[in-house]
Amino acid sequence: MERPVTPSLADEADLHHHGDADALPGLIDLAVNVRPCPPPWLAEALGTPATWVAYPDPAEARAKLAAWHGVNEACVLPTAGAASAFTLVARALATERATVLHPQFTEPEAALRRAGRPVRRLALRPPFTLDAAQVPADSDLVVVGNPTNPTGVLHPRAEITRLRAPQRVLVVDEAFMDFAGDAETALAPGGDLTGVLVVRSLTKLWGLAGVRSGYVVGDPALVARLANQQVPWEVSTPALRAMTACATPQAAAEAARIVAQVDADRAALSAALAAAGFPHYPVPPARAGAPFVLVDTASVGPGSVREPLASLGFAVRRGETFPGLGPSWIRVAVPDPATGHAFVAALASLRQR
């Protein structure tokens, strides 16, 4: 059984590196996993300057999200994006034995470290499937992504549930769950949320990275502790209006269309990578729920292919800043099939260099 380790500062990956740093001007951007822009109806819903004069009031957004997820309003906290939610968790919960499952989005661990909380890492190995039995029994806080960034793996709800334990807080990063159509979400209507905090984001599916719109759903006692750490008016009016607009049948119907297209494009990219002999995850036909794939480029060489690919016109997300991965790994946002085939051809060409 693999056990978590507490890395020294010298061993620590760059937890503050994100895909936008790899998306250099002039390159085809496969580094950032955000949809290109919000649909017109959502852009309109963000409001006009006249609606931004008053101080933000989260009440409507909280009520709408609570009804959408079938929970009490006390279970919902709008936040300034998912990253802000992880900072609130780190500040509000005096954890002493946190375990973060990697590779995953690095901000939860970064936030815990900024707050001075001890962190242990549990690095999952390919194919990056979750085994709850590997998590130390004394963990008082466990953080897991589902679907996980950067692996794209969608863990079964039953396995996520096995991570719950008395005297433990389970934080599930569901920033990409919209791409899975809520399959395996920890937010089953009417379910018991004791000790659970689920973090959601509107950034990815709806193209709202600059608006900073996210929220937490979970144990009302824990949600109240997070709320006490928020500064006044922390969540902007446009972000709150986005939450209200996206918790509707209209939004759900459009999301389903987007997800269907992403699924088809991901299948095309996966087939091209397989034909070119590049291992990648999630491994088909495993269930997936993310607009990206994780690719092992070790057959090109032990180093990073990021710069050679940039010379061929493609920006990709480097893997070595994710704990548990090395420089031969890259995360690739799912493009249209023509762009995907061009990318795979460029990647394969590096073998001859």
Side-chain angles (χ1 to χ4, degrees):
M1 179 185 298
E2 295 182 48
R3 306 300 293 176
V5 295
T6 304
S8 68
L9 291 178
D11 295 332
E12 208 168 311
D14 181 2
L15 299 178
H16 302 286
H17 182 90
H18 299 295
D20 55 338
D22 290 322
L24 301 177
L27 301 181
I28 296 173
D29 181 11
L30 303 181
V32 177
N33 50 34
V34 176
R35 298 288 298 173
C37 62
W41 60 264
L42 180 53
E44 183 178 349
L46 299 184
T48 64
T51 68
W52 304 339
V53 174
Y55 286 95
D57 182 352
E60 182 181 4
R62 182 184 294 115
K64 191 80 174 202
L65 291 168
W68 189 248
H69 289 292
V71 299
N72 188 280
E73 288 185 30
C75 297
V76 178
L77 180 67
T79 62
S84 174
F86 297 126
T87 295
L88 297 176
V89 168
R91 291 175 177 173
L93 308 181
T95 173
E96 297 180 353
R97 297 176 301 280
T99 297
V100 179
L101 279 72
H102 284 290
Q104 77 158 324
F105 181 49
T106 54
E107 191 55 34
E109 179 176 331
L112 288 166
R113 291 186 177 279
R114 284 195 302 268
R117 312 299 188 196
V119 179
R120 300 179 294 190
R121 292 176 179 169
L122 175 58
L124 305 181
R125 304 303 179 193
F128 306 108
T129 52
L130 173 63
D131 179 1
Q134 291 184 328
V135 175
D138 68 344
S139 300
D140 60 3
L141 181 127
V142 174
V143 185
V144 62
N146 198 35
T148 302
N149 175 15
T151 68
V153 172
L154 179 63
H155 304 298
R157 180 190 296 117
E159 199 64 23
I160 294 289
T161 301
R162 289 182 61 209
L163 292 171
R164 299 176 64 175
Q167 309 305 314
R168 173 187 293 175
V169 175
L170 172 61
V171 179
V172 187
D173 176 5
E174 291 192 358
F176 289 96
M177 187 58 77
D178 286 338
F179 287 94
D182 270 0
E184 311 302 345
T185 179
L187 295 177
D192 178 20
L193 293 174
T194 304
V196 176
L197 294 170
V198 176
V199 179
R200 287 294 190 102
S201 171
L202 276 66
T203 293
K204 314 300 183 181
L205 186 108
W206 298 114
L208 293 176
V211 176
R212 309 312 307 139
S213 184
Y215 57 95
V216 178
V217 182
D219 184 327
L222 296 175
V223 167
R225 291 169 66 178
L226 268 57
N228 286 337
Q229 295 296 322
Q230 281 187 316
V231 300
W233 312 296
E234 181 171 310
V235 186
S236 72
T237 295
L240 293 167
R241 290 175 68 96
M243 295 175 209
T244 300
C246 290
T248 63
Q250 175 192 11
E254 180 142 355
R257 291 191 292 270
I258 293 171
V259 169
Q261 186 63 60
V262 170
D263 286 347
D265 292 346
R266 185 177 55 244
L269 177 61
S270 179
L273 287 165
F278 286 102
H280 57 285
Y281 300 90
V283 179
R287 298 179 69 185
F292 51 81
V293 295
L294 180 67
V295 184
D296 183 359
T297 67
S299 62
V300 175
S304 175
V305 298
R306 184 181 62 85
E307 291 187 1
L309 280 173
S311 72
L312 297 175
F314 293 93
V316 295
R317 172 66 161 88
R318 68 187 74 186
E320 63 268 30
T321 63
F322 291 102
L325 299 180
S328 70
W329 293 91
I330 56 173
R331 191 193 68 199
V332 181
V334 172
D336 63 87
T339 301
H341 281 284
F343 161 73
V344 174
L347 180 59
S349 74
L350 300 180
R351 289 182 174 135
Q352 281 74 53
R353 289 195 172 191

